[in-house]
Amino acid sequence: MRLTILGCYAATPRTFTNPTSQVLEIQNHLFLIDCGEGTQVQLRKYRVKFSRIKHIFISHLHGDHFFGLPGLISTFRLLGRENELHIYGPKGIKEAITLFLKLGDSWTNFPLIFHEIESKETTLLFEDDRVSVHTIPLDHRVYTNGFLFREKEAPRTLDVEAAKHFGVDKSQYINIKDGADGISKNGEMVPNVKLTLDPPKPKSYAYCSDTAYKESIVPLIANVDALYHESTFLDSEAHLCAKTKHSTAKQAAQIAQQAKVGTLVLGHYSTRYKSIELFKEEAQEVFSHVELADDGKVFEF
């Protein structure tokens, strides 16, 4: 599971920072999560193949999270894209994007499929035989969702050495891979669990931006391998959270601690602070496994 941060700063972009966007590579999928201004430039910069992006998840309709989407879609068109593109986001995103395309007389030459979200409960957005994606209802000034990505458990794998040890013939291997028990040369039944290996533990990633402190998400994200949680402010500016519906680094750490996540990744920093290291220092007073997102940074979990 590989996470590439394309942008992770709040409010307006600067020459050396970018608004929110990231790419999650999981089970051969390449999911784009949020699409702030300049996302397509960042994709180029960090050598992310446009053609691999088939699903885009937009958390909410504030500009620093989706203003890069019309440009990216237009570029896909100019590049001659033919594969369909799925966009998941709040109700209204279809109207916003199609208006851009209509007024510019530049409708796509590929299928553009919108999946609009309205529910305030966790909802399954995408699922195949390898991964599932659910919403994480958040608390912001406009309707907002985070996203929970979970690998599905892989099948058990054949333990060839164990099969040899029990005298199980090769002709049974395919059935054993499908879950059948084995039969030894002596005619004794050998349970499948003794002839196969446990699959790797499925990995999971929770993305939570933007949101005020919200304890109700803890059961949804419990025990995920990695949690990206916004940390717009430091605790010294906690009084701003009520008005803006954002979180502090300390509050993000409290959520991570309660959910018992593997790693907390902080992001969505206000540009008022001189160093993002201050966010890590504050969060680590509550939760030890803290990483700082930064433009171009790559995490592997």
Side-chain angles (χ1 to χ4, degrees), residues 150 201-202 204 218-226 256 258-262:
R150 286 192 182 277
K201 179 181 175 291
S204 52
V218 169
L220 297 178
I221 64 174
N223 302 307
V224 296
D225 291 278
Q258 292 173 56
K260 299 179 180 179
V261 307

Side-chain angles (χ1 to χ4, degrees), residues 19-217:
T20 302
S21 186
Q22 52 186 248
V23 172
L24 180 68
E25 189 167 3
I26 180 172
Q27 289 293 329
N28 295 320
H29 286 292
L30 201 67
F31 295 129
L32 181 64
I33 309 170
D34 275 340
C35 191
E37 294 173 66
T39 291
Q40 62 176 315
V41 176
Q42 292 295 91
L43 288 168
R44 289 289 200 199
K45 183 176 181 179
Y46 298 111
R47 300 173 183 266
V48 178
K49 290 185 177 181
F50 284 13
S51 61
R52 290 193 61 198
I53 298 173
K54 299 177 181 177
H55 302 272
I56 300 177
F57 298 87
I58 302 297
S59 61
H60 64 295
L61 296 182
H62 278 164
D64 58 330
H65 291 259
F66 91 106
F67 276 179
L69 192 53
L72 181 61
I73 293 171
S74 295
T75 297
F76 283 157
R77 173 178 177 270
L78 292 173
L79 293 175
R81 183 187 179 107
E82 296 180 354
N83 293 331
E84 60 187 30
L85 179 66
H86 293 262
I87 297 174
Y88 308 79
K91 184 175 175 59
I93 193 169
K94 180 178 181 179
E95 179 183 4
I97 298 302
T98 53
L99 182 60
F100 270 106
L101 301 175
K102 178 182 177 181
L103 294 177
D105 192 22
S106 56
W107 189 247
T108 66
N109 50 357
F110 59 88
L112 185 58
I113 303 167
F114 291 92
H115 306 264
E116 294 195 314
I117 313 164
E118 296 182 81
S119 176
K120 295 183 179 180
E121 304 295 327
T122 184
T123 303
L124 176 66
L125 297 181
F126 171 80
E127 184 177 31
D128 63 10
D129 59 348
R130 294 171 289 168
V131 66
S132 66
V133 185
H134 286 79
T135 59
I136 304 171
L138 300 177
D139 180 15
H140 194 40
R141 299 192 307 279
V142 297
Y143 175 71
T144 305
N145 286 292
F147 303 105
L148 175 61
F149 302 83
R150 286 192 182 277
E151 289 182 340
K152 293 190 175 180
E153 187 169 299
R156 299 178 66 83
T157 55
L158 177 68
D159 185 344
V160 175
E161 293 303 315
K164 291 178 180 178
H165 171 75
F166 287 106
V168 175
D169 190 76
K170 290 181 180 179
S171 62
Q172 302 180 54
Y173 284 4
I174 293 178
N175 289 335
I176 291 171
K177 288 179 182 179
D178 290 337
D181 297 324
I183 304 296
S184 72
K185 290 180 179 179
N186 298 328
E188 297 178 353
M189 188 271 288
V190 183
N192 182 272
V193 70
K194 291 186 177 182
L195 299 171
T196 54
L197 300 170
D198 292 334
K201 179 181 175 291
K203 294 183 179 180
S204 52
Y205 173 65
Y207 170 85
C208 296
S209 185
D210 302 4
T211 184
Y213 178 76
K214 188 178 183 183
E215 289 186 352
S216 62
I217 69 173

Side-chain angles (χ1 to χ4, degrees), residues 223-287:
N223 302 307
V224 296
D225 291 278
L227 164 66
Y228 176 94
H229 195 291
E230 77 126 283
S231 54
T232 305
F233 302 114
L234 295 177
D235 197 45
S236 54
E237 281 71 47
H239 60 282
L240 297 175
C241 292
K243 177 182 178 181
T244 62
K245 291 287 188 177
H246 283 298
S247 299
T248 66
K250 181 179 179 180
Q251 290 172 336
Q254 289 170 338
I255 293 294
Q257 181 188 54
Q258 292 173 56
K260 299 179 180 179
V261 307
T263 300
L264 169 64
V265 180
L266 298 176
H268 203 265
Y269 319 109
S270 168
T271 54
R272 72 183 64 215
Y273 302 105
K274 293 182 179 180
S275 173
I276 62 175
E277 289 294 330
L278 298 171
F279 292 86
K280 186 173 184 178
E281 292 171 7
E282 180 172 293
Q284 284 186 322
E285 293 177 3
V286 177
F287 184 78

